[in-house]
Amino acid sequence: MKSLQGPGVLPAAVPKPRVPARADDGPWHAEAVCRRDEAGLFFAPSKEPTAARLSREEAAKRVCARCPVMVACREHALLQPEPYGVWGGLTAAERRVVLTRMRRRSAELRQAPDAGPVAAAG
């Protein structure tokens, strides 16, 4: 039996790193303010009480508000889409609302008769 251990071989359990939202963005996450904060602020513990969750999410959003890569983070979370946590100043529920609106708007534009450049610009 051949060993899978050796140079250049990753164990199967190691997930592939995620890529930025756009290839030309570069490693936006390296500049993220949240990298210096505790991850628990951005992701809910199991069975977190509602009041504690709301307080934690507001604290996470305050961190996001001062982050230089907040927009890139938000775009990443919407394109992936990230199902959990606070990303780019939006909670998972807020991102679901944004994605639903984006899908609805896209569907409306596809169905619009004679949708010229003015209608598409919206």
Side-chain angles (χ1 to χ4, degrees):
M1 184 163 158
K2 191 174 183 178
S3 172
L4 293 178
Q5 300 298 321
V9 177
L10 293 176
V14 176
K16 291 182 181 179
R18 290 199 170 170
V19 295
R22 295 184 308 229
D24 58 312
D25 279 348
W28 59 266
H29 44 81
E31 300 297 320
V33 173
C34 63
R35 290 179 62 90
R36 296 181 287 278
D37 288 311
E38 193 172 315
L41 186 62
F42 297 90
F43 295 94
S46 64
K47 300 181 182 179
E48 182 179 33
T50 301
R53 177 183 53 84
L54 293 173
S55 177
R56 180 188 49 75
E57 287 174 345
E58 285 305 314
K61 288 179 177 187
R62 285 192 298 275
V63 172
C64 292
R66 67 176 197 267
C67 184
V69 294
M70 183 180 76
V71 173
C73 179
R74 182 178 294 177
E75 288 176 358
H76 163 83
L78 291 169
L79 290 173
Q80 279 300 324
E82 292 290 352
Y84 306 106
V86 175
W87 290 77
L90 297 177
T91 64
E94 291 167 336
R95 289 192 305 278
R96 284 190 297 272
V97 170
V98 169
L99 287 169
T100 298
R101 288 179 181 166
M102 289 170 60
R103 287 184 197 115
R104 187 177 299 137
R105 179 71 175 143
S106 179
E108 288 171 357
L109 290 175
R110 283 194 307 271
Q111 293 176 354
D114 300 324
V118 173

